[in-house]
Amino acid sequence: DNPYAAVQSKILRSLEKKGSATRRELQQRTNSARVGTELWNRAFDGLIKDRGVGARADGTFYLAVCE
């Protein structure tokens, strides 16, 4: 795994186990400071672009696909 894949796995696991969350809540759940916010944001944006994570109008994100 590369660093992006590892972060994406953490994000997807968090959404699967704990349900939808805001971007900030996901950052806290997955300890984004440990890997750096830039890497974390790129990994998260990649999930949104690939539609692995969906966004709701209220600002929360949810797991859009199951592996």
Side-chain angles (χ1 to χ4, degrees), residues 13-30:
R13 234 181 356 262
S14 174
L15 289 170
E16 182 179 2
K17 291 184 178 193
K18 297 182 180 181
S20 63
T22 65
R23 186 180 196 105
R24 181 68 187 131
E25 288 169 336
L26 285 171
Q27 288 173 330
Q28 292 171 333
R29 287 183 193 175
T30 59

Side-chain angles (χ1 to χ4, degrees), residues 3 14 21 29 37 40 51:
S14 174
R29 287 183 193 175
T37 54
W40 192 94
R51 299 186 181 182

